[in-house]
Amino acid sequence: MEVKGKLIVIGGAVDKGSFTEADYNLNLVHNLNFFETGILKRIIDESKHKEKSRIEIITTASHIPKEVGPEYVKAFHHLNAENVGVIYLAKREQASDPEVLDLLKAADIVVFTGGDQLRLTSILGGTPFHNMLLDKYQNEEFIYAGTSAGAAAASNAMIYQGSSQEALLKGEVKITSGLGFINDVIIDTHFVQRGRIGRLFQAVVGNPKVLGIGLGEDTGLLITEGHKMEAIGSGLVIIVDGLQIKDTNLTTVELGQPISIKNMIVHVMSQYDTYNLKNHDLVIHSSQYIE
């Protein structure tokens, strides 16, 4: 069955943006440059009712939710989206509260902030709130948007730990179950800035059916119909495709030893490029070969 909702996953740095700066209002034009032309504006434009859509900010992943939530409200208000609220979910039992579920039921967009993705899945996983999210995404004109931890948790498989420097040593990357909005991909965030390519290589070589997606900061993917991906934002999206892997030493080396991989395919996407998860086809929007 075709997915009716849209998934927008963001690599990070939009978590609080410039809205926490003390001189924010003095540098309004500079600080709004990303928000006006970039991802938050795209979230609004893709939604059912545009600026009038009901937006709920979910701060569960963050350890400073009372700071992060209002910053997003402020950001959306500056983009003329006034119908915005914050749902603070810090305990599993809150995810079964009828009042909280009513807020989610009325939402056209939910935005999951950054923080700790394991905190996000351990609090929300399997709750009525989680189940309603999945149902709305499958059956309604609904947007799940997640940045950093909110993006990493969106897929069925989720990286939750692993140093950037040692990530291509066997056992250094830790993977668990995510929120399950999309299957057969695994998403890593802050990707270019924190040098996390090795983390994604290890995640993919362990199961080459899974497509690795590395999101740079201020960069994301808009995923429609469950399989059509478009790069949005100002940076790069790295795609790691393991389907053509010919050889590896993954199962023969000891824990902590380097992993070798033969014939791993890597694509680089930038704004407006598209990738189809069904046929693994990348289309470069501004290709030098298009007449």
Side-chain angles (χ1 to χ4, degrees), residues 191-192 197 200-201 211-216 219-221 229-232 234-241 264-275 280-287:
F191 192 73
V192 178
I197 188 73
L200 213 50
F201 283 166
L211 186 79
I213 299 174
L215 301 171
T219 306
L221 282 174
M229 306 197 305
E230 177 192 339
I232 59 177
S234 61
L236 300 177
V237 178
I238 309 299
I239 301 293
V240 178
D241 185 347
M264 179 88 83
I265 295 174
V266 177
H267 303 290
V268 180
M269 299 175 67
S270 59
Q271 193 170 31
Y272 306 124
D273 293 348
T274 60
Y275 189 93
H280 289 256
D281 183 43
L282 170 66
V283 177
I284 295 177
H285 178 261
S286 299
S287 170

Side-chain angles (χ1 to χ4, degrees), residues 7 9 117-118 121 130 134 144 148-161 173-189 199-200 202-215:
L7 195 64
V9 288
Q117 55 262 44
L118 196 58
T121 55
H130 181 204
L134 290 169
Y144 172 105
S148 191
S155 53
N156 193 48
M158 177 184 82
I159 296 174
Y160 71 93
Q161 188 176 323
V173 176
K174 305 297 189 295
I175 298 172
T176 188
S177 298
L179 295 177
F181 289 91
I182 185 168
N183 295 323
D184 298 332
V185 304
I186 193 162
I187 300 167
D188 210 351
T189 59
R199 296 198 340 172
L200 213 50
Q202 183 165 167
V204 171
V205 74
N207 184 355
K209 181 184 179 184
V210 175
L211 186 79
I213 299 174
L215 301 171

Side-chain angles (χ1 to χ4, degrees), residues 3-10 39-40 42-44 46-48 54-61 76 89 104 107-121 124-125 129-156 158 177-182 187 189 215 220-224 232:
V3 174
K4 291 186 178 180
K6 299 175 182 178
L7 195 64
I8 297 177
V9 288
I10 308 159
I39 294 173
L40 292 191
R42 186 65 183 270
I43 291 172
I44 296 168
E46 290 289 335
S47 67
K48 184 176 181 180
R54 178 61 188 176
I55 304 170
E56 295 289 355
I57 312 300
I58 314 297
T59 59
T60 303
F76 279 112
L89 296 172
L104 177 59
D108 301 299
I109 304 169
V110 295
V111 179
F112 280 75
T113 70
D116 180 350
Q117 55 262 44
L118 196 58
R119 176 177 169 82
L120 187 57
T121 55
L124 295 183
F129 190 91
H130 181 204
N131 293 335
M132 185 180 289
L133 272 175
L134 290 169
D135 183 72
K136 285 175 71 72
Y137 172 65
Q138 187 73 41
N139 299 303
E140 299 180 20
E141 293 182 56
F142 174 74
I143 293 178
Y144 172 105
T147 183
S148 191
S155 53
N156 193 48
M158 177 184 82
S177 298
L179 295 177
F181 289 91
I182 185 168
I187 300 167
T189 59
L215 301 171
L221 282 174
L222 165 65
I223 305 172
T224 56
I232 59 177

Side-chain angles (χ1 to χ4, degrees), residues 11-38:
V14 65
D15 285 31
K16 295 195 289 183
S18 299
F19 288 85
T20 54
E21 299 295 332
D23 61 348
Y24 165 75
N25 288 318
L26 298 178
N27 293 290
L28 190 62
V29 174
H30 171 74
N31 291 336
L32 281 179
N33 180 57
F34 169 72
F35 291 98
E36 288 181 339
T37 62

